[in-house]
Amino acid sequence: MTEFLRLGVNIDHVATIRNARGGAHPDPLKAANIATLAGADGITAHLREDRRHISDADIARLRAEIDAPLNLEMAVTEEMGKIALRHKPNACCLVPEKREEITTEGGLDIAGNNNRINDFSKMLQEQNIRVSLFIDPDEAQIRASSDVGADIIELHAGSYAHAVISGDHKLITHELEKLCIGAELGHELGLEVHAGHGLTFDSVAAVAAIPQIVELNIGHFLIGEAIFIGLDASIKKMRHLMDKARATLG
Ligand code: PXP
């Protein structure tokens, strides 16, 4: 029996819109509440070094007022480590971060930063925070994630999502294959496997049908689509597409 596929809703871009005017509206917490009522199994938020969307106060409020598990995305820095230990989210997803990037461009290089990621992960795990590593679906990175004792790998689905937008069928098959092989290897190594980045109504089904993947984290598209059909409907439609794809596995 295939495991249930969880949906983590990333609310960063509700904060992006709020911050455009510097006020309190729209409130990411209200979005988190709507998301959980619409079928999200968890809330994801990325506290960036430049605080371009989610703020420290948002994280404090999410912990105090939202019951759903919080997956805090963050860079591997001393500052973020202290924030994680203060708020104790259910999981921390460690991501690479460049100030000038528009969004998280690639996965973390675990293989090249083994000791640093290892120490950082242990510090979080000692406080019962699960450690998720956001990596490209690459064999060396998956093996290195297992070596540093991560609980979870989140496979970067961005290249697959871009391939779907391009309509290039050869590329779509190639990128999907990488996610399938990566998920299989991660699972074999005893890692919990998640995926995310760039997923839309058009690209979610094939990723949801990878049996070893147990959680998808989706944000930008859901918040964008909410402008047209509402947040509740946008999440419910994504949930439905995920469930439908999953049902084909039996
Ligand atoms: N997973 C990770 C690790 C991310 O950094 C992001 C973007 O913040 C997402 C998932 C969600 O990506 P998107 O907003 O493109 O759905």
Side-chain angles (χ1 to χ4, degrees):
M1 182 70 189
T2 314
E3 257 188 84
F4 177 72
L5 180 62
R6 297 192 299 267
L7 170 61
V9 172
N10 181 315
I11 55 167
D12 291 351
H13 297 299
V14 179
T16 303
I17 298 171
R18 174 195 62 192
N19 296 356
R21 287 292 169 94
H25 182 81
D27 185 356
L29 242 80
K30 184 168 177 183
N33 265 317
I34 292 170
T36 50
L37 289 172
D41 303 288
I43 298 299
T44 293
H46 185 174
L47 186 68
R48 279 188 166 266
E49 190 192 0
D50 62 9
R51 308 301 197 269
R52 69 175 73 155
H53 36 57
I54 292 294
S55 68
D56 299 65
D58 291 330
I59 299 297
R61 289 175 63 222
L62 280 167
R63 285 313 275 152
E65 296 172 40
I66 301 290
D67 287 336
L70 175 66
N71 175 33
L72 176 61
E73 293 177 0
M74 56 186 218
V76 185
T77 64
E78 201 182 322
E79 182 200 15
M80 289 299 154
K82 282 187 188 148
I83 291 171
L85 295 185
R86 190 176 322 132
H87 295 294
K88 295 202 171 63
N90 303 77
C92 280
C93 182
L94 308 184
V95 301
E97 204 175 291
K98 290 193 221 114
R99 224 169 231 280
E100 65 280 11
E101 70 189 357
I102 294 172
T103 182
T104 316
E105 282 166 0
L108 256 186
D109 179 14
I110 314 295
N113 291 283
N114 207 308
N115 291 339
R116 188 148 170 256
I117 308 275
N118 189 57
D119 294 348
F120 201 84
S121 301
K122 295 284 167 298
M123 174 186 81
L124 298 173
Q125 287 167 326
E126 276 165 15
Q127 297 301 316
N128 293 322
I129 300 168
R130 303 184 80 214
V131 170
S132 172
L133 302 178
F134 187 52
I135 56 170
D136 290 322
D138 169 86
E139 181 177 345
Q141 298 298 343
I142 296 166
R143 290 195 184 279
S145 300
S146 168
D147 291 344
V148 299
D151 301 287
I152 303 161
I153 49 169
E154 179 166 324
L155 298 177
H156 198 316
S159 299
Y160 171 69
H162 277 131
V164 171
I165 291 166
S166 78
D168 178 338
H169 292 285
K170 243 173 105 176
L171 189 62
I172 293 171
T173 308
H174 174 68
E175 293 298 340
L176 185 60
E177 188 72 8
K178 285 204 288 190
L179 289 172
C180 292
I181 292 170
E184 218 172 295
L185 176 62
H187 183 71
E188 247 174 58
L189 293 170
L191 294 158
E192 186 172 307
V193 185
H194 300 179
H197 211 283
L199 293 173
T200 67
F201 291 155
D202 292 333
S203 53
V204 76
V207 182
I210 299 173
Q212 297 86 1
I213 293 180
V214 297
E215 181 173 310
L216 298 182
N217 283 299
I218 310 179
H220 184 268
F221 179 83
L222 287 173
I223 305 305
E225 192 63 14
I227 293 169
F228 305 116
I229 63 172
L231 186 57
D232 174 78
S234 160
I235 293 169
K236 281 185 175 150
K237 184 165 175 188
M238 190 63 83
R239 179 80 262 170
H240 171 72
L241 292 169
M242 287 165 58
D243 291 343
K244 202 168 125 199
R246 207 66 171 179
T248 61
L249 301 176

